[in-house]
Structures are given as C-alpha cells and as structure tokens.
Amino acid sequence: NAGVIQTPRHKVTGKGQEATLWCEPISGHSAVFWYRQTIVQGLEFLTYFRNQAPIDDSGMPKERFSAQMPNQSHSTLKIQSTQPQDSAVYLCASSLDLKGRGSDYTFGSGTRLLVI
Amino acid sequence: SQWGEENLQALSIQEGEDVTMNCSYKTYTTVVQWYRQKSGKGPAQLILIRSNEREKRSGRLRATLDTSSQSSSLSITGTLATDTAVYFCATDDSGYNKLTFGKGTVLLVSP
C-alpha cells in the first residue's frame, strides 16, 4: 500500500498560468477529499468526491478552481490564472467513506504550490 | 488550546516529559480526530474518538472527549524527540468525514 500519492510534490508557476495537481487515492477508497493548507488559514476543506461523483465543493473558490475525478484511481485539482494568494500546500485524502467512521482517513504528502 | 480565532499554539518540552494538548470545538460533531503532521508530510491520523466515548488510548497516546463542554484533549506520555510535530484536532459535522481542523499545536521535544 503506497498510500495516497500526490504529484508533483512541488510546483512553481508564474502569475496567470494554470496549475494542475494530481491525486491517486488508496485503492478501494471511495471517498476523496481535497484540502488547502496555509500558515494563516490553516487546513481548509475544498471539495469531496464519493465514488467519483462530486458531492460537496463548498470550500472551492468559485472562480478559477475546479476539481474532477474521471476514474476511481485519480483526481485532479486545476487552478486557472493562478494568483500569489493561491500559494499553499494542497492536500488530498481518501477513505472508505463509511458514514461517521473515518478511521482510515489517509492524507497524501501534498503538493506545495508557489505562484510568483 | 486550538480552535476559533486562536493562533497556532506552541509547546517546548524535554524528552521524557508528558504533555497534554487541548482542543475546543464550536459545532456538533460525531467524532473528534487527532492528527500529527511532520515537516513535509501530510497529517497522519493518531486517534479517532467518537461522541459516545469519553476516552481512547493508543500506546503512549490518550484522547478524551467532553461533549458537554465541546472539548477534547490529547496526552502523550514519555515524549520522544520523534514526537516533534504539529498536532491538530478535527471534527466532522457533515457525517461524511468532511473535516474542520483546529489551528494546531506545535510540539517541540528536545532530546
């Protein structure tokens, strides 16, 4: 079990460019979550997929951010026209999605995005 | 303690000491999860304590939960230098593991 795999580990983009972040959840986990972590705001929920379907995107900035899960083995988070304030560590997590359980919640190591 | 508008907390102790970190939360939750995050890594779940449990132990870790005061604590006994990390509590009021994290406690354990 390689755990949740996130690529790239580090990404530097110029202001206005697009950034795509990748997440491979643990095989068999039906729930995938994206979080953003900054020093100021801490860990913030972005979006959640269950069995590849988008369930809750209440934490996603409405403009420029989008997430997809085209198959059970990977999810992507895309940021268009990146801005310096998008600089953060983006974390992906997966779990078996047993309601109220969460004992197998596993995070990846994250992608550190720097927008210059 | 963590939560709300509080800043990131920091604790510095010597190896072998015991430590307790506190967390208070604002909304109903079915579960409190405690995580540890080491530099360059994602958070790793340490203990999950459910709303019908008062205490949960795992090795040197002990978590408590008081739903009446909406607070939880994580204690580590006989700390090691490898316990140096940031510790977070997280709650779930969604029922589907959408976690809300506290601000965290930075723990530095010196050898």
Side-chain angles (χ1 to χ4, degrees), chain B residues 22-91:
Chain B
N22 297 300
C23 163
S24 58
Y25 54 93
K26 295 181 177 178
T27 61
Y28 168 80
T29 185
T30 58
V31 64
V32 173
Q33 301 186 28
W34 281 92
Y35 285 83
R36 175 171 63 193
Q37 185 175 26
K38 296 199 173 188
S39 180
K41 301 291 187 182
Q45 191 181 93
L46 296 175
I47 284 187
L48 181 154
I49 182 166
R50 306 191 191 287
S51 57
N52 63 349
E53 298 175 308
R54 311 257 322 159
E55 179 181 298
K56 192 84 165 281
R57 292 177 183 267
S58 176
R60 295 184 293 110
L61 306 177
R62 172 178 171 261
T64 65
L65 178 60
D66 183 343
T67 54
S68 63
S69 64
Q70 295 188 302
S71 64
S72 178
S73 70
L74 176 71
S75 298
I76 307 175
T77 56
T79 54
L80 304 170
T82 52
D83 292 326
T84 293
V86 182
Y87 291 79
F88 296 95
C89 63
T91 58

Side-chain angles (χ1 to χ4, degrees), chain A:
Chain A
N1 184 352
V4 175
I5 299 172
Q6 289 190 250
T7 55
R9 289 298 313 277
H10 303 273
K11 187 172 182 65
V12 180
T13 64
K15 181 180 174 182
Q17 293 184 329
E18 181 178 288
T20 300
L21 313 180
W22 295 73
C23 170
E24 180 181 331
I26 290 174
S27 177
H29 280 192
S30 55
V32 173
F33 303 81
W34 285 93
Y35 290 82
R36 177 169 63 182
Q37 184 174 30
T38 61
I39 294 294
V40 174
Q41 297 297 327
L43 273 154
E44 302 175 289
F45 168 82
L46 292 177
T47 191
Y48 160 55
F49 293 87
R50 181 194 299 149
N51 293 322
Q52 301 170 230
I55 303 298
D56 182 344
D57 67 353
S58 59
M60 293 276 275
K62 295 308 176 189
E63 297 179 359
R64 303 187 296 104
F65 282 63
S66 63
Q68 294 182 334
M69 191 161 185
N71 57 59
Q72 63 184 10
S73 64
H74 88 273
S75 174
T76 58
L77 180 68
K78 183 179 293 185
I79 309 172
Q80 296 178 312
S81 185
T82 54
Q83 303 298 310
Q85 60 265 31
D86 299 332
S87 297
V89 176
Y90 290 84
L91 291 157
C92 177
S94 71
S95 81
L96 282 168
D97 191 35
L98 299 175
K99 185 176 180 180
R101 305 300 291 274
S103 58
D104 57 352
Y105 216 92
T106 305
F107 280 87
S109 293
T111 294
R112 183 176 295 276
L113 176 67
L114 177 63
V115 182
I116 57 175

